[in-house]
Amino acid sequence: MDHKAGFVNIIGNPNVGKSTLMNAFVGERLSIITSKAQTTRHRILGIVNGDDFQMILSDTPGIIKPAYEMQKSMMDFVKSAFEDADVLIYMVEIGEKELKDEAFFNKIIHSKIPVLLILNKIDKSNQEQLDEQVELWSEKVPNAEIFAISALENFNVQMVFDRIVELLPVSPAFYPKDTLTDKPERFFVNEIIREKILLNYDKEIPYAVEIETEEFIEDEKIIRVRAVIMVERDSQKGIIIGHKGSALKRVGIQARADLEKFFGKQIHLETYVKVNKDWRTSAYQLKRFGYNNK
Ligand code: GDP
Ligand code: MG
C-alpha cells in the first residue's frame, strides 16, 4: 500500500475538547488540558505514526475575539490552520449553537479541504438531544462529515482516526517516524508548570503568568530543570509564592510528579518567580516567548 502523510488541524471554540481529542490520538500527554479557556496558546504538533501513514496534528487555541496583543497573535496561529491542512477538524460540543467568529465560520463552510465536524461530549447528552444536534450541524455545515464522539471516554475516537487516515494524501513521511512532536523538551516543561498554576490559583493570576525554562540538563538518571515564573506585578509575585513559600512549593511538587511521568526520569525542579512588567503587551516579549511565529 502507498504511504500516506498529511497535516490535520483541529479548530473550534475554547473548551470543546480539542486537546483531549488530540491527546487521545497521540496517546501521550502533549497538550495541557484544563476546564479554563485559552489553556492552549500555541499550535502544538502531535505526530502519530503507523506503518503506512504519518498524521501530523495541530491543536490550536480556541477561537476568540482578540482583546489584546497576545490574543491577536494567538488568532494568527488559528488562521494559519487553514493554510497548511489536508484535513480540517471542526470541533463543537453538545449544546453549542454557533461559532463566535462569523468570518471564520464562513471559511469552514467554504473550505476546499475535507472537513470533519466532531460533535464532542456526547456522554453529557441523551439520544433526543443528540439527534437534534446532528441535524442542526448538518444544516449549518453541509460540506462536513459529522461524527458524534466522547473524546474523554474514548467513544468513536477510533472511527474518526480511521477516517482521517483514509483522507490523508499519498505522501512520504514529513518527519522521522519516531518523532512524537516538533516541540523541544523545554516547551513541555513550561506547559506542565503552567497547567499547575492554572489549577492552583484563581482569577487573573494564571493569565498574568509566563514560564521560561532556563535550564534543562539531562544526565543518565536525572534531569535538572530550572524554570522562571514570570509575573506582571509584585503583588502577583507574592500570591504565587504564598505564605512562607507554601503555594509555590505545592506547584513544584505537582509539576515535578508530572514531569517525571512525562520524561520517564527523575527530575530535579527549581522554580523562582520574577516580575517582568507588561510581558503580555510588549511585542518584543511576545516574540521572545514564541507567540509570533512569523
Ligand atoms: P480545548 O480548549 O478545546 O482544547 O478543550 P480541552 O481538551 O482542554 O477540554 C476542556 C474540558 O472539557 C476539560 O475539562 C475536558 O476534560 C472536558 N472534555 C473534553 N472532552 C470531553 C468529553 O468528551 N466529555 C466530557 N464530559 N468532557 C470533556
Ligand atoms: Mg486546548
Side-chain angles (χ1 to χ4, degrees):
M1 213 172 94
D2 285 331
H3 190 275
K4 294 174 149 199
F7 293 82
V8 180
N9 292 331
I10 310 176
I11 58 167
N13 279 330
N15 277 317
V16 294
K18 299 180 296 299
S19 300
T20 308
L21 178 70
M22 199 193 79
N23 292 351
F25 283 168
V26 178
E28 291 265 330
R29 237 170 121 275
L30 293 181
S31 229
I32 61 171
I33 298 167
T34 76
S35 59
K36 289 181 188 167
Q38 294 170 45
T39 297
T40 313
R41 287 178 189 166
H42 299 257
R43 286 184 68 190
I44 297 172
L45 285 182
I47 302 177
V48 191
N49 292 301
D51 286 340
D52 48 14
F53 71 87
Q54 179 169 71
M55 186 190 294
I56 303 148
L57 294 141
S58 97
D59 170 28
T60 59
I63 292 159
I64 37 161
K65 296 256 179 215
Y68 48 79
E69 275 298 318
M70 185 176 81
Q71 293 195 347
K72 254 195 271 171
S73 150
M74 284 161 64
M75 286 307 294
D76 288 341
F77 282 108
V78 182
K79 284 196 181 117
S80 64
F82 283 98
E83 284 152 23
D84 61 11
D86 298 298
V87 179
L88 199 63
I89 295 185
Y90 171 28
M91 187 181 258
V92 297
E93 65 179 313
I94 283 288
E96 185 183 328
K97 297 228 165 51
E98 64 200 343
L99 198 58
K100 281 168 193 146
D101 188 312
E102 203 182 327
F104 233 83
F105 193 73
N106 279 324
K107 271 194 140 168
I108 291 169
I109 59 175
H110 295 115
S111 165
K112 297 233 169 20
I113 54 175
V115 180
L116 306 187
L117 191 142
I118 310 285
L119 180 56
N120 190 30
K121 307 195 188 180
I122 62 166
D123 54 287
K124 293 207 295 195
S125 82
N126 55 38
Q127 192 62 46
E128 195 188 349
Q129 192 188 15
L130 182 58
D131 292 344
E132 207 179 272
Q133 293 265 297
V134 169
E135 199 182 313
L136 175 99
W137 286 108
S138 45
E139 276 167 25
K140 271 185 186 287
V141 192
N143 56 319
E145 286 175 44
I146 299 185
F147 293 85
I149 72 161
S150 169
L152 195 63
E153 295 185 357
N154 210 4
F155 180 76
N156 278 349
V157 167
Q158 189 62 42
M159 195 161 84
V160 175
F161 187 87
D162 293 343
R163 181 61 185 138
I164 297 170
V165 173
E166 273 177 19
L167 290 168
L168 292 179
V170 171
S171 158
F174 291 88
Y175 295 92
K177 286 288 238 357
D178 59 359
T179 315
L180 263 178
T181 173
D182 76 334
K183 295 284 183 193
E185 286 136 337
R186 285 171 198 235
F187 174 80
F188 293 105
V189 176
N190 298 347
E191 291 285 278
I192 286 167
I193 296 173
R194 201 155 59 81
E195 179 185 60
K196 299 311 166 202
I197 286 175
L198 277 161
L199 293 172
N200 282 286
Y201 303 94
D202 288 334
K203 296 191 191 105
E204 87 290 353
I205 289 288
Y207 300 111
V209 164
E210 185 55 78
I211 320 290
E212 196 180 7
T213 297
E214 295 182 326
E215 206 171 275
F216 186 99
I217 300 169
E218 184 160 6
D219 291 340
E220 208 178 313
K221 289 220 177 75
I222 190 168
I223 303 172
R224 286 169 217 283
V225 178
R226 192 177 67 235
V228 47
I229 299 171
M230 220 83 86
V231 293
E232 293 174 306
R233 290 192 296 276
D234 285 324
S235 59
Q236 293 161 342
K237 181 174 173 176
I239 293 169
I240 292 281
I241 292 171
H243 183 61
K244 291 185 176 162
S246 58
L248 185 59
K249 193 172 167 198
R250 193 165 51 232
V251 166
I253 289 168
Q254 293 173 1
R256 195 169 71 94
D258 273 19
L259 287 167
E260 291 191 338
K261 248 187 269 164
F262 189 87
F263 290 106
K265 260 194 190 170
Q266 201 186 327
I267 302 280
H268 180 279
L269 174 65
E270 191 189 320
T271 51
Y272 69 100
V273 187
K274 204 159 119 183
V275 179
N276 182 1
K277 276 195 192 123
D278 306 324
W279 70 260
R280 268 198 295 195
T281 44
S282 137
Y284 168 74
Q285 292 290 355
L286 285 173
K287 215 178 198 114
R288 213 160 97 81
F289 292 117
Y291 289 118
N292 290 308
N293 60 343
K294 279 168 257 166

